[in-house]
Amino acid sequence: DTAVSQTPKYLVTQMGNDKSIKCEQNLGHDTMYWYKQDSKKFLKIMFSYNNKELIINETVPNRFSPKSPDKAHLNLHINSLELGDSAVYFCASSLGTVSGNTIYFGEGSWLTVV
Amino acid sequence: DAKTTQPTSMDCAEGRAANLPCNHSTISGNEYVYWYRQIHSQGPQYIIHGLKNNETNEMASLIITEDRKSSTLILPHATLRDTAVYYCIVHGSSNTGKLIFGQGTTLQVKP
């Protein structure tokens, strides 16, 4: 069973559209994250939720809105998609936020905006 | 979280040990050293982590110097499937849980 799973794996959409990426973890973790990897391959944190509460928002545009319906899910909704949003988005989870808690990543969602 | 410095790229012959160095001279006492790797088109994969002592698991060994200012990840018998970008990350002081990724080391295992 996949520990951190994301859907869809590939998404091609037009500028201006609204889209969502879903993430689920079956590890019983309290903390979930969204990371973005752009064309230059740098991985950067976007959001983090701990027990459904937002704890990190790394100056991400308001068009990006995470939603955590429960501890096992953290979905990413993107409004008014722009060309620059094209990237790979990784969901991740960890037991908690204290040091020493290992973060586990999903396989990524490839978003292409045309 | 402390910053890390890694070589941009390294080569290793298949079957030989791959030794990947990492400098983290500003690491603080409660920060862990984590290693992840990212194989092309996949998500980052956790390899190993340590605080002070050397660690070993089924994937690799982690050697941390006594002053904790540097570490080495050792893949004992590299295979072609170990070709990936390896990230050394110092983690923990902020307690927000996030990992800060640098550019990593691109390891090319050659036949």
Side-chain angles (χ1 to χ4, degrees):
Chain A
D1 288 340
T2 304
V4 182
S5 57
Q6 319 177 208
T7 54
K9 187 172 177 68
Y10 300 101
L11 181 57
V12 180
T13 188
Q14 290 186 325
M15 283 174 53
N17 283 349
D18 303 339
K19 291 293 178 185
S20 293
I21 306 172
K22 295 185 177 181
C23 178
E24 176 182 6
Q25 53 93 5
N26 63 5
L27 298 167
H29 287 169
D30 286 342
T31 308
M32 296 187 71
Y33 311 81
W34 278 107
Y35 280 77
K36 179 181 179 180
Q37 188 167 39
D38 59 23
S39 57
K40 296 181 179 178
K41 303 297 183 184
F42 283 106
L43 269 159
K44 293 184 68 174
I45 182 79
M46 298 175 68
F47 298 103
S48 173
Y49 272 69
N50 187 55
N51 282 319
K52 303 194 299 175
E53 297 293 325
L54 179 68
I55 56 171
I56 297 175
N57 181 341
E58 289 284 321
T59 326
V60 178
N62 291 337
R63 299 182 296 103
F64 290 79
S65 54
K67 293 282 192 306
S68 181
D70 54 60
K71 289 197 308 183
H73 296 83
L74 182 61
N75 304 323
L76 184 64
H77 188 75
I78 315 170
N79 290 327
S80 303
L81 278 155
E82 301 177 356
L83 293 177
D85 297 331
S86 296
V88 186
Y89 293 85
F90 291 100
C91 179
S93 74
S94 65
L95 194 60
T97 59
V98 296
S99 57
N101 281 322
T102 301
I103 297 176
Y104 297 93
F105 287 81
E107 287 302 304
S109 295
W110 270 251
L111 172 64
T112 302
V113 182
V114 297
Chain B
D1 293 343
K3 185 179 176 182
T4 62
T5 304
Q6 301 177 248
T8 303
S9 63
M10 293 181 63
D11 289 344
C12 177
E14 188 178 19
R16 305 296 294 267
N19 298 298
L20 292 89
C22 179
N23 286 322
H24 32 79
S25 58
T26 60
I27 192 170
S28 60
N30 63 347
E31 289 180 318
Y32 286 75
V33 179
Y34 271 80
W35 284 84
Y36 283 78
R37 72 181 182 184
Q38 189 173 23
I39 296 170
H40 182 62
S41 298
Q42 296 183 21
Q45 179 188 22
Y46 165 76
I47 302 173
I48 198 166
H49 74 285
L51 184 62
K52 296 179 181 178
N53 300 322
N54 298 337
E55 302 288 345
T56 296
N57 63 20
E58 64 278 3
M59 289 183 67
S61 294
L62 174 61
I63 309 298
I64 302 174
T65 58
E66 194 169 340
D67 63 7
R68 302 187 70 235
K69 293 184 177 182
S70 65
S71 61
T72 301
L73 178 74
I74 301 172
L75 307 178
H77 305 286
T79 70
L80 298 178
R81 285 179 292 183
D82 291 323
T83 293
V85 179
Y86 287 77
Y87 297 99
C88 169
I89 303 167
V90 170
H91 174 48
S93 64
S94 66
N95 285 341
T96 59
K98 68 180 181 182
L99 294 170
I100 300 175
F101 287 82
Q103 67 177 17
T105 296
T106 299
L107 175 69
Q108 182 73 47
V109 180
K110 298 185 174 181

